[in-house]
Amino acid sequence: MEDKKKNSLWEKIAREENVPLETLQERIKKWTVVIPFNKKRKISHPCAIGEGMRVKVNVNLGSSWEADGIKEELQKLSVAIKYGADTVMDLSTGRRLKEIRKAILENSPVPVGTVPIYEVAVKVLQEKGNLSALTPRDILNTIEEQAKEGVDFFTIHCGLNKKTLEVFSRQKRLMDIVSRGGAILLNWMLTKNKENPMYEYFDEILNIAKDYNITLSLGDSLRPGSVLDATDPAQIEELIILGELTQRAHQKGVAVIIEGPGHMTLDQIEANVLAEKKLCQGAPFYVLGPLVTDIALGYDHIAGAIGAAYAAYYGADFLCYVTPAEHLGLPTVEDVKEGTIAFKIAAHAGDLARGKEKAYLRDKQISQARKKRKWDEQFKLSFDPEKARAYYFRNKPKAEDVCSMCSKLCSIKLVDKCLEFLIK
Amino acid sequence: MEDKKKNSLWEKIAREENVPLETLQERIKKWTVVIPFNKKRKISHPCAIGEGMRVKVNVNLGSSWEADGIKEELQKLSVAIKYGADTVMDLSTGRRLKEIRKAILENSPVPVGTVPIYEVAVKVLQEKGNLSALTPRDILNTIEEQAKEGVDFFTIHCGLNKKTLEVFSRQKRLMDIVSRGGAILLNWMLTKNKENPMYEYFDEILNIAKDYNITLSLGDSLRPGSVLDATDPAQIEELIILGELTQRAHQKGVAVIIEGPGHMTLDQIEANVLAEKKLCQGAPFYVLGPLVTDIALGYDHIAGAIGAAYAAYYGADFLCYVTPAEHLGLPTVEDVKEGTIAFKIAAHAGDLARGKEKAYLRDKQISQARKKRKWDEQFKLSFDPEKARAYYFRNKPKAEDVCSMCSKLCSIKLVDKCLEFLIK
């Protein structure tokens, strides 16, 4: 990025984040803050992720083999943006994967991430019918191609190597590997008896990332798929490897974020955030969920928001949303909305708990409006004004400025009426 | 309760809770575990609340002035029970309040709680048109009447007295008092310049509770209604008073639980649970939410579930649910369902995080079913099998036992196919 453009971007972000420009610059320099932004891209809403920044939310979009509509994915994108997604990832694995990525890149005002191994896998399945036909060259070519198209950040499953696999092979996991990228690469490594190309050719990947100013999101192939598998030696061994790769990336001048959690009970989240910060030199932590139980089918956005809020409070920087459709199917537009809002609540709860002054402003304003029973102002300050309004008017008392819950016994009105008697 | 009936109940509960009978007995004796169960009642599913027990969820039912249907409240009851409510409270404040309570008491298989001051207030408003006409005698009569009907636990707003009010008057709160019971009593105290009858006649209330084996839930009139009001001197002063009243209750042989939180950021929850346990001699803690932000209008079940899961992890024993309609109106049957499930997830997350062995069993089973792609088994083990099934079949791949999310790239199948190559 040219210096002039970079300076004005950093100034804008420093203002938005309510931190001094020098602080932002320092943190970017020591890689604890990253700004995913491909030099080929023009986006209106880039964002900073990491130390001291507002907690960000990523929304996954993308088709699958069964549902491959461009129109629907663009609707999902627009819902994600409307409800506050800070970034989106296109995880398409359907036949029209390239078209969908192109459309998302064209239409997204926020940074776009992808998982290049998905395109490689879909292509090799379409052309050769089996995954073992894929070559390291296919991977590098696809990464380069997507870099040219303007993708802002890539998930690279580089932590799964022979060493982590050796540790993994000694675990008794309930769910083994649930990362799709991890499973594809495991399959290739085991059937070919070769090293993971994402690990072996990491320097080549770094070169591409460097050329295009792409942030690498180092993927966690061994993330736990059951709360009973969490924080096991395989997961932590992979995190150690990711820490080593983080160092190599920083030496080459490439920004990284580290992917983590999955399924994990509340009591383990603090330690996991701490371990990531220590083992990966303070690189921003990007957590999926974590889902605090395995049994919340149909409600995994809630199980995920619980874990995400906790992770954010303890220092996770970037939350990957989960929808109600998790474990059951591809999310619909409505599911994307539900998931986005649940995770925006979690991120905001994390910001409040970390004492971020700016976050408190909105809570203060909505409470002031609530105290005065200014309903429109409350709706406007909430995550989903239409829903709030519809709920309020569903059963609103006709003559009074109260809601149907307490009605004549509205605590706010009762207190207003008598507070004059209290010498304050 | 006769000794024989009591013994068999305690044995049943010890088995369900997976604790030795002696442990349960000891904890009941030192009042850290309570079993709300009016001696006039016959219920099929009583439960124990407190130290080392599974975290319980309460579901609020009840009409308001605007919506006063018995049929709808019974539908809400049945939905609450279906999705796992451990207790219900009838918070009716409409004209048919008595009929609704009677119907709920007749139909509920779980303990039923009420807030007697609501009935007193509704009656005095109907008969005399203003709250200041209510008398301490009205309150005691209503409590006695409801006790005879079989209510298992009462919320008694006894912590608001002249002393707490004095501390309250020195605070600058955004939301002052948001507890309905608290607001009614504050209004009475200030317009009459008299002490809170719930505090002044606490011994009389204890006598009734003792006679009927009713558990008292000591209400928090000063619970914060904004995250900016949380953990202020007024809230903690009331908790100190509740601790003193707890001691008086125990001396009279009456079991109590303590009500807490409301709106509170994540970072304050641990300290609040600890303070309650210390100040109230380990009495079970019954928390509303806590809602970790003020701005989640329409999604307060999620903001509440986030706080509730934490509270449970740190030792809260009993979670009062919140629905998506909170702050907006009386919940519908669907809202009751959403709120119940969100809080069952929170309670379960708390049980897992506290390491309760029995809680892990269901997560293990669902993960085993997931690993084998046994879909029906997964649905059965989830909170809402109908929803899970509908989501799965919405877009299911025709020929394969996978879901529409990953389809041909199902990580579980990919791993299954190659794991034989890994020498384990």
Side-chain angles (χ1 to χ4, degrees):
Chain A
M1 212 181 292
E2 317 142 40
D3 276 355
K4 207 174 135 189
K5 190 175 153 197
K6 193 164 80 178
N7 286 344
S8 90
L9 170 66
W10 288 14
E11 276 164 24
K12 183 173 165 251
I13 284 177
R15 269 195 312 278
E16 276 172 15
E17 294 282 352
N18 201 26
V19 295
L21 179 60
E22 299 68 37
T23 310
L24 179 67
Q25 285 166 332
E26 249 169 54
R27 291 176 185 169
I28 291 173
K29 208 175 145 190
K30 62 177 177 142
W31 305 106
T32 59
V33 169
V34 306
I35 302 175
F37 201 163
N38 187 313
K39 71 172 186 186
K40 294 266 184 182
R41 284 263 284 167
K42 286 185 186 70
I43 42 177
S44 55
H45 289 85
C47 67
I49 298 166
E51 189 186 358
M53 304 293 112
R54 178 172 62 74
V55 175
K56 304 301 185 294
V57 172
N58 174 71
V59 167
N60 290 335
L61 311 170
S63 67
S64 80
W65 206 261
E66 315 305 323
D68 213 13
I70 294 182
K71 205 176 130 197
E72 194 170 22
E73 293 313 314
L74 286 180
Q75 279 172 350
K76 290 182 194 170
L77 170 65
S78 109
V79 156
I81 299 304
K82 176 174 176 186
Y83 293 105
D86 298 292
T87 68
V88 297
M89 289 189 81
D90 173 18
L91 305 187
S92 291
T93 55
R95 293 168 190 83
R96 300 166 72 191
L97 174 154
K98 268 176 193 267
E99 289 168 77
I100 291 175
R101 184 170 65 240
K102 198 166 164 257
I104 290 176
L105 281 167
E106 264 169 26
N107 288 282
S108 173
V110 300
V112 174
T114 62
V115 183
I117 193 70
Y118 293 175
E119 180 173 0
V120 183
V122 167
K123 208 171 152 191
V124 85
L125 277 182
Q126 278 181 300
E127 291 174 4
K128 310 205 173 144
N130 83 80
L131 287 177
S132 61
L134 77 78
T135 68
R137 192 30 58 206
D138 293 335
I139 294 178
L140 294 172
N141 287 347
T142 300
I143 290 175
E144 177 108 43
E145 233 178 85
Q146 293 197 10
K148 274 186 200 160
E149 286 178 24
V151 174
D152 300 293
F153 63 107
F154 287 140
T155 291
I156 299 294
H157 292 86
C158 50
L160 184 75
N161 63 7
K162 289 193 170 177
K163 197 169 153 199
T164 46
L165 216 51
E166 199 269 321
V167 177
F168 168 73
S169 73
R170 280 184 272 122
Q171 312 312 314
K172 281 199 175 132
R173 278 190 162 195
L174 267 178
M175 297 298 297
D176 291 318
I177 287 180
V178 294
S179 149
R180 243 188 309 185
I184 294 166
L185 289 162
L186 176 82
N187 198 285
W188 191 86
M189 287 169 74
L190 290 180
T191 50
K192 312 281 274 192
N193 194 25
K194 283 192 176 165
E195 186 52 284
N196 173 4
M198 294 264 185
Y199 177 76
E200 198 169 355
Y201 298 93
F202 189 64
D203 280 324
E204 281 79 350
I205 297 172
L206 287 179
N207 290 338
I208 300 169
K210 176 78 184 156
D211 283 351
Y212 292 87
N213 192 43
I214 289 168
T215 298
L216 295 187
S217 183
L218 307 190
D220 54 338
S221 302
L222 292 168
R223 73 163 183 268
S226 160
V227 293
L228 289 103
D229 291 343
T231 324
D232 75 343
Q235 187 202 319
I236 303 301
E237 181 64 39
E238 184 179 40
L239 191 60
I240 293 172
I241 304 288
L242 295 184
E244 293 169 8
L245 297 172
T246 297
Q247 234 165 351
R248 284 170 53 189
H250 291 168
Q251 279 158 7
K252 281 235 180 186
V254 172
V256 304
I257 56 182
I258 306 295
E259 297 187 9
H263 294 236
M264 179 171 288
T265 52
L266 283 172
D267 54 309
Q268 296 176 28
I269 294 174
E270 183 177 8
N272 269 268
V273 175
L274 187 92
E276 185 278 336
K277 295 284 178 186
K278 283 288 179 191
L279 294 171
C280 302
Q281 301 99 56
F285 199 20
Y286 179 26
V287 292
L288 175 62
L291 298 165
V292 293
T293 171
D294 304 343
I295 67 171
L297 268 187
Y299 298 85
D300 273 325
H301 62 310
I302 297 179
I306 292 173
Y310 221 94
Y313 168 36
Y314 287 123
D317 307 284
F318 191 23
L319 309 177
C320 186
Y321 93 152
V322 176
T323 78
E326 186 73 14
H327 299 114
L328 293 167
L330 200 72
T332 61
V333 175
E334 186 56 29
D335 295 329
V336 169
K337 176 183 164 183
E338 292 290 315
T340 304
I341 293 174
F343 276 69
K344 288 297 284 185
I345 293 172
H348 184 69
D351 284 331
L352 292 174
R354 289 202 215 170
K356 286 192 77 65
E357 227 176 293
K358 208 175 161 183
Y360 274 91
L361 192 63
R362 202 162 147 198
D363 289 66
K364 189 175 175 182
Q365 288 170 338
I366 211 170
S367 293
Q368 285 168 332
R370 184 170 288 151
K371 181 72 177 165
K372 290 182 187 149
R373 298 178 303 286
K374 291 188 176 173
W375 294 96
D376 271 328
E377 239 177 275
Q378 287 183 67
F379 304 152
K380 232 180 284 172
L381 287 159
S382 72
F383 290 106
D384 184 0
E386 291 97 333
K387 184 179 182 186
R389 189 183 305 274
Y391 264 61
Y392 175 66
F393 282 107
R394 203 165 58 179
N395 211 353
K396 184 194 172 311
K398 277 162 206 74
E400 298 185 69
D401 61 339
V402 294
C403 84
S404 62
M405 168 75 99
C406 304
S407 184
K408 287 188 191 306
L409 292 174
C410 172
S411 60
I412 294 171
K413 285 189 95 164
L414 280 172
V415 171
D416 274 0
K417 275 185 205 161
C418 69
L419 223 51
E420 55 183 305
F421 296 98
L422 187 71
I423 301 132
K424 268 210 155 183
Chain B
M1 210 181 293
E2 317 144 39
D3 275 355
K4 206 174 135 190
K5 192 174 151 198
K6 192 165 81 179
N7 286 345
S8 90
L9 169 65
W10 289 14
E11 275 165 23
K12 183 172 165 254
I13 284 177
R15 268 196 311 278
E16 276 172 13
E17 295 281 352
N18 201 26
V19 295
L21 180 59
E22 298 67 37
T23 309
L24 179 67
Q25 285 165 334
E26 249 169 53
R27 291 176 186 172
I28 292 173
K29 209 174 145 191
K30 62 176 176 139
W31 306 106
T32 59
V33 169
V34 306
I35 302 174
F37 202 162
N38 187 314
K39 72 172 187 187
K40 293 266 183 181
R41 284 263 283 168
K42 287 186 186 70
I43 42 178
S44 55
H45 289 85
C47 68
I49 298 165
E51 189 187 356
M53 304 293 112
R54 177 173 61 74
V55 175
K56 304 300 186 295
V57 172
N58 175 71
V59 167
N60 290 335
L61 312 171
S63 66
S64 79
W65 205 263
E66 316 305 323
D68 213 15
I70 294 181
K71 206 177 131 196
E72 194 171 21
E73 294 313 313
L74 287 180
Q75 279 173 348
K76 290 181 194 170
L77 171 65
S78 106
V79 157
I81 299 304
K82 177 174 177 186
Y83 293 104
D86 297 293
T87 68
V88 295
M89 289 190 82
D90 173 18
L91 305 187
S92 291
T93 56
R95 296 169 189 81
R96 300 166 72 189
L97 172 155
K98 268 175 193 266
E99 289 168 75
I100 289 175
R101 184 170 66 240
K102 199 169 164 253
I104 289 176
L105 280 166
E106 265 170 24
N107 288 283
S108 173
V110 300
V112 174
T114 62
V115 184
I117 194 70
Y118 292 175
E119 180 172 1
V120 182
V122 168
K123 209 171 153 190
V124 84
L125 276 183
Q126 278 182 302
E127 291 174 5
K128 312 209 169 139
N130 82 79
L131 287 176
S132 62
L134 76 78
T135 68
R137 190 32 57 205
D138 293 336
I139 293 178
L140 293 172
N141 286 348
T142 300
I143 289 175
E144 177 108 42
E145 235 178 84
Q146 293 196 11
K148 274 186 199 158
E149 285 178 25
V151 174
D152 300 293
F153 62 107
F154 287 140
T155 291
I156 300 294
H157 291 85
C158 51
L160 184 73
N161 64 7
K162 289 193 171 180
K163 198 169 152 199
T164 45
L165 217 50
E166 200 268 321
V167 177
F168 168 72
S169 72
R170 280 184 273 123
Q171 311 313 313
K172 281 198 176 135
R173 277 189 164 197
L174 268 178
M175 296 300 296
D176 293 317
I177 286 181
V178 295
S179 149
R180 242 189 311 185
I184 294 166
L185 289 162
L186 176 81
N187 197 285
W188 191 86
M189 289 170 75
L190 290 180
T191 51
K192 313 281 272 191
N193 193 24
K194 283 191 175 163
E195 184 52 284
N196 173 2
M198 293 262 183
Y199 177 76
E200 199 170 354
Y201 298 93
F202 189 64
D203 279 325
E204 280 79 350
I205 297 172
L206 287 179
N207 290 338
I208 300 169
K210 174 79 184 155
D211 284 352
Y212 292 86
N213 192 45
I214 289 168
T215 298
L216 294 187
S217 183
L218 306 190
D220 54 338
S221 302
L222 293 168
R223 74 162 182 267
S226 161
V227 293
L228 288 104
D229 292 343
T231 323
D232 76 344
Q235 187 203 319
I236 303 303
E237 181 65 40
E238 184 179 40
L239 192 60
I240 292 172
I241 304 288
L242 295 184
E244 293 170 10
L245 297 172
T246 297
Q247 233 165 351
R248 282 170 57 190
H250 291 167
Q251 278 158 8
K252 280 234 180 187
V254 173
V256 304
I257 55 182
I258 306 294
E259 298 188 8
H263 293 237
M264 179 170 287
T265 52
L266 284 172
D267 53 311
Q268 297 177 26
I269 294 175
E270 182 177 9
N272 269 268
V273 175
L274 187 91
E276 184 278 335
K277 294 284 177 187
K278 282 290 179 188
L279 295 171
C280 303
Q281 301 97 56
F285 200 20
Y286 179 27
V287 293
L288 175 62
L291 297 165
V292 293
T293 170
D294 304 342
I295 67 171
L297 269 186
Y299 299 84
D300 274 325
H301 62 308
I302 296 178
I306 291 172
Y310 275 50
Y313 168 37
Y314 287 124
D317 308 284
F318 191 23
L319 309 176
C320 186
Y321 92 151
V322 175
T323 78
E326 186 74 14
H327 300 113
L328 293 168
L330 200 73
T332 61
V333 175
E334 186 57 29
D335 295 329
V336 169
K337 176 184 164 183
E338 292 289 315
T340 304
I341 292 173
F343 276 70
K344 288 297 286 185
I345 292 171
H348 184 68
D351 284 331
L352 292 174
R354 288 202 216 169
K356 286 192 79 66
E357 225 177 295
K358 209 174 159 183
Y360 274 90
L361 191 62
R362 202 161 146 200
D363 289 66
K364 188 175 176 182
Q365 288 169 339
I366 211 170
S367 293
Q368 285 168 333
R370 185 169 289 150
K371 181 72 177 164
K372 289 181 188 148
R373 298 178 303 286
K374 291 188 175 175
W375 294 95
D376 272 329
E377 239 176 275
Q378 287 184 67
F379 305 152
K380 232 181 284 171
L381 286 160
S382 72
F383 290 106
D384 184 0
E386 291 96 333
K387 184 179 182 186
R389 188 183 308 272
Y391 265 60
Y392 175 65
F393 282 106
R394 204 164 59 178
N395 212 353
K396 185 194 173 308
K398 275 158 208 78
E400 298 185 69
D401 60 341
V402 293
C403 83
S404 63
M405 169 75 99
C406 304
S407 185
K408 287 188 190 307
L409 291 175
C410 173
S411 60
I412 294 172
K413 285 189 96 163
L414 279 174
V415 171
D416 274 1
K417 276 185 206 163
C418 69
L419 223 51
E420 57 184 299
F421 295 97
L422 187 70
I423 299 129
K424 267 209 153 180

